Amino acid sequence: MTSKIIDGRKVAADLLLKTQAFVAELNTTYTVIPGLAIIKVGDNPASTAYVNIKQKRAAEVGIHTELVTFSSNISEQDVLRTIDMLNARKDIHGIIIQLPLPAHLNADTLIDHVSPQKDVDGFHPDNVGAIATGRAGILPCTPKGILYLLKTLPIHLNGKHAVVIGRSRIVGKPMAALLLKSNCTITHIHSHSQNWRPITQLADIIVTATGTPRLLTPEHIKTGAIIIDVGSSKISLPNGQSKFVGDVREDVVQKAGFITPVPGGVGPMTVAMLLQNTAEAARSQINV
Ligand code: GUN
């Protein structure tokens, strides 16, 4: 029997191997080493942890990374100047600005400044617009990774009722657009939605990305539903230790058809897709 736990670590590891092979081919055929620049402002511990894992995995697949760190009081002009330099560099094919940013920096202003061809996070309006209008563009890493996980399951997305909870730039909005493109019927729930529980009970697929620990309990879901948990919140335990939990309470696993664990579900897919996007961006920037 197929396990109902979706092993994101395993799927991501297979994908990283494919990216490694693709990177090796770019190197042999075109003597190109894909380069990824990561801009990090301030010292948010979660961002530092995410950036470390991105750099570690990149090194494993042969992608060069460059970390540009700024102190939290850096001016917007200085960050924009750095983005200009990275946009112009031939050895940098992907640029990401690690979010969240300090309050005085406008994420839109900085993201809009990244060349759309190097926007391997898929956050630039050109890439967001490409999904919305069904054109080719760079897909954002987490929704792309989730779609990839869903396609490993023995189900068809066509016609399924998918409920997306949360409407962030990083997950919720692009996820709903991609599921719609996959012919799902979409309901989008967010922090202002009223009386949403009867809606999640109808869902064949739920993607939740709210950051509210254990928001979803067994009463909220239909038996056999596919549950994708993008949440990852650090909670303190009574014994003084802490652990990461998702948006989905642990006992939902008994009622779900398939479910992603936290950790080890969606998280590894985001990193794997970032590196796939970077390798593909490098390929598309070769003039042959
Ligand atoms: N912060 C949390 N997730 C992400 C992501 O996928 N990309 C960037 N740039 N920042 C993030």
Side-chain angles (χ1 to χ4, degrees):
M1 199 187 94
T2 324
S3 165
K4 60 161 71 175
I5 308 288
I6 304 171
D7 188 350
R9 284 198 185 109
K10 165 90 177 68
V11 180
D14 291 347
L15 194 62
L16 286 170
L17 284 178
K18 286 189 187 144
T19 302
Q20 186 180 43
F22 183 50
V23 168
E25 194 185 311
L26 289 178
N27 201 351
T28 344
T29 316
Y30 305 104
T31 58
V32 164
I33 296 173
L36 170 66
I38 304 174
I39 298 175
K40 184 166 81 83
V41 185
D43 45 18
N44 177 324
S47 290
T48 302
Y50 289 137
V51 166
N52 285 343
I53 191 78
K54 287 172 185 178
Q55 289 196 279
K56 183 164 184 272
R57 293 283 172 266
E60 285 166 9
V61 302
I63 291 179
H64 165 74
T65 58
E66 234 170 86
L67 176 60
V68 185
T69 40
F70 290 115
S71 63
S72 53
N73 60 1
I74 187 79
S75 74
E76 199 159 274
Q77 275 315 313
D78 282 345
V79 185
L80 290 174
R81 256 195 296 275
T82 298
I83 296 171
D84 279 334
M85 276 171 4
L86 294 168
N87 279 340
R89 275 178 53 181
K90 293 270 179 280
D91 59 334
I92 292 294
H93 307 94
I95 303 168
I96 65 168
I97 302 158
Q98 189 64 30
L99 303 175
L101 292 167
H104 72 282
L105 294 176
N106 186 313
D108 287 334
T109 306
L110 301 184
I111 288 166
D112 292 3
H113 214 69
V114 173
S115 154
Q117 288 74 32
K118 296 192 177 186
D119 165 43
V120 286
D121 256 334
F123 295 163
H124 188 282
D126 282 12
N127 287 316
V128 175
I131 303 185
T133 55
R135 284 174 242 205
I138 301 178
L139 297 181
C141 308
T142 303
K144 188 180 182 189
I146 290 171
L147 207 59
Y148 193 93
L149 283 180
L150 288 172
K151 288 183 177 167
T152 66
L153 303 179
I155 55 139
H156 294 290
L157 293 176
N158 205 50
K160 294 284 190 302
H161 182 194
V163 171
V164 178
I165 313 179
R167 53 175 166 172
S168 67
R169 170 211 308 273
I170 297 175
V171 187
K173 285 200 187 99
M175 188 77 251
L178 286 182
L179 289 167
L180 185 62
K181 198 164 169 239
S182 300
N183 298 326
C184 289
T185 301
I186 308 296
T187 308
H188 209 155
I189 291 170
H190 49 77
S191 51
H192 292 247
S193 298
Q194 295 175 358
N195 195 23
W196 54 266
R197 285 166 186 80
I199 300 171
T200 56
Q201 287 165 352
L202 293 175
D204 300 308
I205 300 166
I206 300 177
V207 179
T208 177
T210 71
T212 307
R214 298 172 171 147
L215 174 72
L216 220 66
T217 64
E219 310 84 76
H220 298 135
I221 77 155
K222 179 167 87 174
T223 300
I226 296 165
I227 310 293
I228 307 292
D229 189 353
V230 190
S232 182
S233 311
K234 198 173 183 178
I235 60 159
S236 303
L237 299 172
N239 64 7
Q241 295 186 324
S242 58
K243 77 165 189 168
F244 283 95
V245 296
D247 289 2
V248 180
R249 212 169 73 185
E250 288 84 337
D251 53 348
V252 169
V253 66
Q254 278 123 40
K255 200 169 173 189
F258 293 99
I259 186 165
T260 57
V262 174
V266 173
M269 292 304 294
T270 299
V271 180
M273 284 307 178
L274 173 67
L275 300 178
Q276 187 187 68
N277 280 352
T278 304
E280 285 172 355
R283 174 68 191 88
S284 71
Q285 286 163 46
I286 296 167
N287 299 312
V288 280

